[in-house]
Amino acid sequence: MIRIAIVDDNSFLIKTVEEKLSFFDDFSVKISADNGQSLLDKLEKNHNVDLILMDIEMPVMNGIEATQIVKQRYPQIKIIMLTVFDNDENIFKSIKAGADGYLLKEVNAKDLHQGILETLNGGATMTPSIALKTLKLFRNPIDFENVNNEDEIQLTAREVEVLEQLSKGLKYQHIAENLFLSVGTIRKHVENIYTKLQVHNKLEAIQKAKNNKLI
């Protein structure tokens, strides 16, 4: 029996992955966690896990940071990044952190099963589009440590204002009143911010904006 851990801050997506794995008798989900720190806490109590399916963008501790720590503490555990993000920087940092594979969440049950088996047998499973990006990265290396991600700095002045208000814990209604805008307009600005920062919740948006000195 192959023992699996699933790490994702979206409980619906954890259930979706569990459903995909339920088609196969050789898998057993032993741990589920909603962020990297929660995973580490659970592994301290019981690290009898063969493979981790790891999301990237999560609050408290993201998947790349968690991967690096898991690989230091439990090098025998294999890790496959299972994410919606396929940008070059995430791929590069995941591999550098020690990830053994990289699949997109849209992967079907059969390919996920095959990818896990390949990884446990010493391979490096990747969604084809990810494999292509990885080859390009090796052919044309980018120094992500010293280059600004243009996608992260293209916020409008109004979007920065909205983010600053969000960081103060204000609700959409209060932000709308403060900026003399409708609640619908604020929601649209927030959607655009999430897209540009490649995040999917308020905490991640605020943290990423602070990390990149946008607010």
Side-chain angles (χ1 to χ4, degrees):
M1 185 66 69
I2 296 168
R3 298 158 299 185
I4 306 286
I6 305 173
V7 191
D8 198 304
D9 63 333
N10 187 320
S11 58
F12 173 77
L13 291 176
I14 287 181
K15 287 186 174 65
T16 301
V17 175
E18 287 176 337
E19 285 176 10
K20 289 179 181 179
L21 297 179
S22 69
F23 290 106
F24 309 99
D25 296 333
D26 49 349
F27 290 162
S28 174
V29 177
K30 294 295 185 183
I31 294 176
S32 63
D34 59 5
N35 63 71
Q37 186 58 57
S38 175
L39 169 70
L40 294 175
D41 293 343
K42 292 182 178 183
L43 287 176
E44 271 191 31
K45 296 175 183 175
N46 181 8
H47 58 268
N48 289 323
V49 172
D50 300 303
L51 183 139
I52 299 168
L53 296 172
M54 184 85 76
D55 187 23
I56 289 183
E57 295 287 353
M58 296 181 288
V60 186
M61 180 185 290
N62 68 41
I64 293 172
E65 292 170 323
T67 294
Q68 189 168 14
I69 295 172
V70 170
K71 282 299 184 178
Q72 288 170 352
R73 295 181 185 176
Y74 317 105
Q76 77 281 6
I77 298 178
K78 301 289 187 179
I79 300 177
I80 296 176
M81 311 309 285
L82 191 61
T83 178
V84 295
F85 298 108
D86 65 347
N87 65 310
D88 293 353
E89 185 172 5
N90 279 339
I91 297 169
F92 175 82
K93 288 186 174 179
S94 295
I95 293 171
K96 190 176 177 183
D100 301 287
Y102 199 117
L103 297 173
L104 296 181
K105 286 180 179 176
E106 64 198 33
V107 64
N108 62 46
K110 181 182 176 183
D111 289 342
L112 179 59
H113 177 260
Q114 187 62 36
I116 290 173
L117 295 181
E118 284 177 5
T119 301
L120 290 171
N121 287 323
T125 188
M126 286 189 180
T127 300
S129 62
I130 300 294
L132 187 59
K133 281 176 174 280
T134 304
L135 284 174
K136 288 180 178 177
L137 275 174
F138 278 107
R139 288 178 187 137
N140 301 292
I142 300 171
D143 185 359
F144 290 107
E145 304 299 328
N146 296 313
V147 68
N148 286 323
N149 188 329
E150 291 182 3
D151 291 339
E152 292 178 347
I153 59 172
Q154 296 301 314
L155 295 185
T156 66
R158 180 65 84 187
E159 286 164 355
V160 171
E161 283 182 323
V162 171
L163 251 180
E164 286 174 340
Q165 300 269 320
L166 278 176
S167 70
K168 295 173 183 174
L170 298 180
K171 304 292 186 185
Y172 288 180
Q173 182 66 45
H174 290 131
I175 297 174
E177 291 170 2
N178 290 343
L179 299 181
F180 303 102
L181 298 170
S182 70
V183 173
T185 299
I186 296 300
R187 289 186 188 281
K188 187 62 183 173
H189 280 311
V190 172
E191 286 177 15
N192 291 339
I193 290 167
Y194 285 6
T195 300
K196 290 180 179 181
L197 294 182
Q198 293 188 330
V199 297
H200 43 70
N201 64 50
K202 182 174 69 174
L203 288 175
E204 289 178 13
I206 293 168
Q207 189 58 54
K208 199 161 189 177
K210 287 180 177 177
N211 290 345
N212 288 277
K213 298 181 173 55
L214 296 173
I215 58 174

XYZ file of all heavy atoms in Angstrom, residues 6-62:
456
model
N -1.661 14.733 1.062
C -2.148 15.773 0.149
C -2.123 17.109 0.888
O -2.660 17.219 1.992
C -3.581 15.487 -0.334
C -3.680 14.091 -0.960
C -4.030 16.553 -1.341
C -5.109 13.678 -1.300
N -1.487 18.105 0.281
C -1.370 19.419 0.924
C -1.958 20.478 -0.002
O -1.456 20.700 -1.108
C 0.109 19.759 1.237
C 0.179 20.993 2.131
C 0.807 18.582 1.892
N -3.033 21.122 0.442
C -3.697 22.145 -0.366
C -4.575 22.969 0.552
O -5.230 22.419 1.438
C -4.549 21.486 -1.463
C -4.896 22.441 -2.585
O -5.488 23.508 -2.297
O -4.595 22.138 -3.750
N -4.605 24.280 0.372
C -5.427 25.116 1.239
C -6.890 25.150 0.812
O -7.718 25.776 1.465
C -4.867 26.542 1.329
C -4.877 27.264 -0.010
O -4.822 26.584 -1.043
O -4.929 28.508 -0.021
N -7.216 24.445 -0.273
C -8.590 24.361 -0.747
C -9.123 22.956 -0.445
O -8.709 21.981 -1.064
C -8.640 24.647 -2.251
C -10.055 24.737 -2.785
O -10.925 23.969 -2.403
N -10.280 25.670 -3.701
N -10.028 22.863 0.522
C -10.535 21.558 0.943
C -11.270 20.837 -0.186
O -11.241 19.602 -0.270
C -11.466 21.705 2.151
O -12.556 22.562 1.842
N -11.908 21.604 -1.067
C -12.599 20.988 -2.211
C -11.602 20.284 -3.128
O -11.854 19.181 -3.620
C -13.371 22.048 -2.999
C -13.972 21.536 -4.287
C -15.112 20.763 -4.271
C -13.364 21.825 -5.504
C -15.658 20.277 -5.462
C -13.896 21.348 -6.693
C -15.057 20.573 -6.668
N -10.442 20.918 -3.348
C -9.437 20.319 -4.216
C -8.798 19.091 -3.567
O -8.423 18.140 -4.254
C -8.368 21.352 -4.576
C -8.861 22.478 -5.509
C -7.773 23.511 -5.736
C -9.318 21.906 -6.845
N -8.675 19.095 -2.246
C -8.177 17.897 -1.556
C -9.134 16.739 -1.811
O -8.707 15.620 -2.137
C -8.033 18.145 -0.039
C -6.829 19.062 0.231
C -7.864 16.829 0.718
C -6.582 19.349 1.696
N -10.439 17.007 -1.688
C -11.441 15.962 -1.934
C -11.390 15.475 -3.377
O -11.553 14.280 -3.664
C -12.844 16.482 -1.603
C -13.125 16.633 -0.111
C -14.577 17.014 0.142
C -14.896 17.032 1.632
N -14.150 18.068 2.356
N -11.154 16.418 -4.307
C -11.061 16.056 -5.724
C -9.901 15.099 -5.968
O -10.046 14.093 -6.683
C -10.878 17.320 -6.600
O -11.991 18.186 -6.399
C -10.777 16.951 -8.070
N -8.751 15.383 -5.357
C -7.585 14.511 -5.512
C -7.849 13.155 -4.855
O -7.504 12.102 -5.406
C -6.320 15.160 -4.900
C -5.144 14.196 -4.956
C -5.980 16.443 -5.645
N -8.479 13.178 -3.684
C -8.810 11.919 -3.002
C -9.716 11.046 -3.863
O -9.551 9.824 -3.914
C -9.486 12.217 -1.658
C -8.537 12.734 -0.595
C -9.242 13.104 0.699
O -10.465 13.372 0.662
O -8.568 13.123 1.745
N -10.662 11.683 -4.554
C -11.564 10.940 -5.439
C -10.796 10.302 -6.595
O -11.058 9.157 -6.979
C -12.657 11.866 -5.971
C -13.728 12.200 -4.936
C -14.752 13.196 -5.457
O -14.737 13.482 -6.674
O -15.560 13.687 -4.651
N -9.841 11.047 -7.147
C -9.036 10.494 -8.241
C -8.235 9.281 -7.765
O -8.111 8.282 -8.472
C -8.085 11.568 -8.790
C -8.780 12.673 -9.571
C -7.779 13.714 -10.061
C -8.475 14.825 -10.821
N -7.542 15.877 -11.302
N -7.699 9.376 -6.543
C -6.882 8.281 -6.016
C -7.727 7.089 -5.592
O -7.226 5.958 -5.535
C -6.063 8.774 -4.810
C -5.043 9.883 -5.087
C -4.329 10.285 -3.794
C -4.025 9.450 -6.130
N -9.007 7.324 -5.297
C -9.872 6.251 -4.793
C -10.138 5.167 -5.830
O -10.609 4.083 -5.489
C -11.211 6.843 -4.305
O -11.981 7.329 -5.396
N -9.835 5.464 -7.101
C -10.021 4.465 -8.149
C -8.986 3.338 -8.064
O -9.134 2.301 -8.711
C -9.924 5.118 -9.540
C -11.090 6.008 -9.869
C -10.952 7.388 -9.854
C -12.328 5.471 -10.201
C -12.023 8.217 -10.154
C -13.406 6.285 -10.516
C -13.257 7.670 -10.487
N -7.946 3.550 -7.258
C -6.828 2.599 -7.236
C -6.634 2.003 -5.845
O -6.544 2.718 -4.857
C -5.552 3.304 -7.702
C -5.730 4.034 -9.018
C -5.965 5.407 -9.039
C -5.700 3.349 -10.220
C -6.162 6.081 -10.235
C -5.895 4.013 -11.422
C -6.123 5.374 -11.434
N -6.570 0.684 -5.797
C -6.481 -0.028 -4.515
C -5.112 0.083 -3.850
O -4.970 -0.231 -2.672
C -6.805 -1.519 -4.711
C -8.248 -1.722 -5.171
O -9.088 -0.863 -4.843
O -8.510 -2.725 -5.856
N -4.100 0.506 -4.619
C -2.744 0.517 -4.057
C -2.395 1.839 -3.362
O -1.279 2.016 -2.890
C -1.704 0.211 -5.142
C -1.883 1.057 -6.401
O -2.927 1.727 -6.526
O -0.980 1.033 -7.255
N -3.352 2.787 -3.292
C -3.099 4.076 -2.643
C -3.922 4.224 -1.369
O -5.077 3.796 -1.304
C -3.460 5.242 -3.567
C -2.541 5.414 -4.748
C -2.941 6.153 -5.847
C -1.278 4.841 -4.760
C -2.104 6.322 -6.942
C -0.429 5.000 -5.849
C -0.843 5.741 -6.935
N -3.309 4.866 -0.372
C -4.025 5.186 0.855
C -3.620 6.586 1.297
O -2.433 6.856 1.496
C -3.687 4.169 1.948
O -4.268 4.549 3.175
N -4.597 7.499 1.417
C -4.305 8.873 1.860
C -4.190 8.874 3.384
O -5.163 8.659 4.096
C -5.390 9.854 1.397
C -5.087 11.259 1.930
C -5.492 9.877 -0.129
N -2.981 9.119 3.882
C -2.706 9.069 5.322
C -2.758 10.444 5.981
O -3.052 10.569 7.156
C -1.323 8.447 5.570
C -1.221 6.982 5.177
C -2.130 6.121 6.039
C -1.956 4.642 5.745
N -2.892 3.817 6.539
N -2.421 11.491 5.198
C -2.355 12.845 5.759
C -2.964 13.824 4.762
O -2.736 13.727 3.552
C -0.896 13.272 6.042
C -0.283 12.416 7.157
C -0.809 14.748 6.399
C 1.190 12.724 7.404
N -3.754 14.772 5.278
C -4.135 15.933 4.469
C -3.860 17.171 5.319
O -4.070 17.157 6.536
C -5.614 15.866 4.060
O -6.459 15.901 5.182
N -3.366 18.224 4.677
C -3.006 19.448 5.390
C -3.328 20.644 4.512
O -3.311 20.539 3.286
C -1.522 19.431 5.760
N -3.614 21.802 5.148
C -4.017 22.978 4.374
C -2.911 24.007 4.194
O -3.133 25.067 3.628
C -5.260 23.630 4.973
C -5.060 24.078 6.419
O -3.923 23.968 6.929
O -6.043 24.533 7.028
N -1.710 23.697 4.685
C -0.552 24.545 4.394
C 0.723 23.792 4.764
O 0.666 22.726 5.396
C -0.630 25.883 5.144
C -0.592 25.731 6.648
O 0.447 25.391 7.226
N -1.721 25.969 7.302
N 1.859 24.341 4.376
C 3.124 23.653 4.596
C 3.454 23.415 6.057
O 3.957 22.363 6.432
N 3.158 24.397 6.907
C 3.472 24.242 8.326
C 2.636 23.140 8.964
O 3.129 22.358 9.775
C 3.231 25.561 9.060
C 3.677 25.540 10.525
C 5.149 25.200 10.682
O 6.015 25.872 10.127
N 5.447 24.133 11.431
N 1.370 23.080 8.572
C 0.492 22.031 9.089
C 1.020 20.652 8.687
O 1.001 19.711 9.486
C -0.933 22.230 8.553
O -1.772 21.167 8.951
N 1.506 20.537 7.458
C 2.099 19.274 7.007
C 3.294 18.900 7.874
O 3.405 17.750 8.336
C 2.550 19.400 5.546
C 3.420 18.241 5.032
C 2.598 16.975 4.884
C 4.102 18.610 3.724
N 4.187 19.848 8.109
C 5.387 19.570 8.905
C 5.018 19.127 10.314
O 5.636 18.211 10.874
C 6.287 20.809 8.951
C 6.909 21.239 7.619
C 7.675 22.542 7.796
C 7.825 20.160 7.073
N 4.005 19.766 10.897
C 3.553 19.394 12.237
C 3.049 17.951 12.255
O 3.343 17.187 13.189
C 2.432 20.330 12.705
C 2.925 21.764 12.932
O 4.158 21.946 13.045
O 2.086 22.670 12.973
N 2.322 17.562 11.210
C 1.772 16.207 11.157
C 2.859 15.170 10.879
O 2.815 14.053 11.399
C 0.663 16.135 10.102
C -0.565 16.938 10.499
C -1.694 16.841 9.486
C -2.903 17.631 9.975
N -4.068 17.532 9.073
N 3.848 15.557 10.067
C 4.944 14.627 9.772
C 5.815 14.383 11.007
O 6.407 13.305 11.151
C 5.814 15.162 8.628
C 5.211 15.100 7.221
C 6.160 15.748 6.212
C 4.906 13.669 6.805
N 5.893 15.375 11.888
C 6.658 15.193 13.130
C 6.060 14.077 13.969
O 6.768 13.319 14.621
C 6.681 16.504 13.929
C 7.845 17.412 13.564
C 8.005 18.567 14.542
O 7.680 18.388 15.736
O 8.455 19.632 14.104
N 4.737 13.968 13.937
C 4.054 12.935 14.716
C 4.097 11.584 14.011
O 4.188 10.540 14.647
C 2.597 13.346 14.960
C 2.461 14.607 15.800
C 1.004 15.042 15.904
C 0.884 16.345 16.682
N -0.502 16.860 16.698
N 4.041 11.625 12.684
C 4.073 10.377 11.917
C 4.530 10.669 10.491
O 3.784 11.239 9.705
C 2.686 9.731 11.896
C 2.681 8.419 11.118
O 3.722 7.911 10.716
N 1.492 7.867 10.908
N 5.776 10.299 10.181
C 6.302 10.556 8.830
C 6.363 9.288 7.981
O 7.165 9.183 7.047
C 7.677 11.235 8.896
C 8.713 10.469 9.641
N 8.944 10.655 10.986
C 9.580 9.511 9.228
C 9.922 9.850 11.374
N 10.316 9.148 10.319
N 5.499 8.337 8.304
C 5.419 7.121 7.490
C 4.573 7.383 6.243
O 3.451 6.896 6.103
C 4.819 5.969 8.309
C 5.785 5.485 9.375
O 6.991 5.442 9.157
N 5.256 5.146 10.548
N 5.133 8.196 5.375
C 4.483 8.585 4.121
C 5.456 8.318 2.983
O 6.659 8.556 3.119
C 4.090 10.085 4.159
C 3.599 10.548 2.806
C 3.035 10.333 5.224
N 4.937 7.812 1.878
C 5.801 7.522 0.726
C 5.913 8.706 -0.223
O 6.969 8.954 -0.796
C 5.260 6.308 -0.050
C 5.212 5.059 0.811
O 6.276 4.674 1.342
O 4.120 4.483 0.968
N 4.801 9.448 -0.376
C 4.786 10.519 -1.375
C 3.813 11.618 -0.969
O 2.749 11.342 -0.418
C 4.408 9.950 -2.749
C 4.417 10.917 -3.925
C 5.018 10.264 -5.174
C 2.995 11.405 -4.241
N 4.206 12.858 -1.252
C 3.368 14.023 -0.951
C 2.952 14.695 -2.256
O 3.787 14.946 -3.133
C 4.124 15.048 -0.085
C 4.535 14.419 1.247
C 3.266 16.292 0.156
C 5.530 15.263 2.043
N 1.652 14.991 -2.378
C 1.146 15.810 -3.476
C 1.008 17.224 -2.920
O 0.180 17.481 -2.047
C -0.203 15.278 -3.967
C -0.153 13.866 -4.569
C -1.566 13.352 -4.839
C 0.673 13.838 -5.851
N 1.830 18.134 -3.405
C 2.020 19.445 -2.766
C 1.533 20.606 -3.638
O 1.999 20.790 -4.768
C 3.510 19.641 -2.474
C 3.853 20.917 -1.737
S 3.695 20.754 0.045
C 5.202 19.826 0.429
N 0.608 21.391 -3.085
C 0.202 22.647 -3.730
C 1.342 23.661 -3.551
O 2.218 23.480 -2.702
C -1.087 23.152 -3.081
C -1.681 24.356 -3.804
O -1.394 24.533 -5.001
O -2.435 25.107 -3.171
N 1.336 24.747 -4.313
C 2.399 25.757 -4.191
C 1.924 26.966 -3.389
O 2.447 27.263 -2.319
C 2.916 26.194 -5.575
C 3.720 25.051 -6.207
C 3.811 27.448 -5.447
C 4.336 25.389 -7.546
N 0.928 27.677 -3.900
C 0.493 28.911 -3.239
C -0.429 28.584 -2.071
O -1.583 28.196 -2.256
C -0.211 29.825 -4.241
C 0.691 30.344 -5.359
C 1.672 31.389 -4.877
O 1.591 31.813 -3.720
O 2.536 31.796 -5.684
N 0.087 28.731 -0.847
C -0.695 28.482 0.366
C -0.307 29.505 1.430
O 0.824 29.992 1.439
C -0.433 27.069 0.903
C -0.875 25.942 -0.011
S -0.567 24.310 0.712
C 1.242 24.211 0.571
N -1.224 29.842 2.325
C -0.883 30.758 3.419
C 0.021 30.070 4.441
O 0.215 28.857 4.394
C -2.253 31.089 4.027
C -3.099 29.898 3.710
C -2.628 29.416 2.371
N 0.549 30.842 5.370
C 1.417 30.387 6.464
C 2.765 29.902 5.936
O 3.807 30.480 6.235
C 0.762 29.287 7.338
C 1.666 28.960 8.536
C -0.627 29.708 7.791
N 2.772 28.809 5.159
C 4.000 28.334 4.506
C 3.631 27.732 3.161
O 2.787 26.845 3.075
C 4.711 27.275 5.358
C 5.991 26.755 4.705
S 6.770 25.398 5.620
C 7.356 26.280 7.061
N 4.246 28.243 2.086
C 3.901 27.746 0.760
C 4.555 26.392 0.469
O 5.387 25.895 1.233
C 4.241 28.781 -0.330
C 5.738 29.000 -0.499
O 6.535 28.074 -0.476
N 6.128 30.262 -0.680
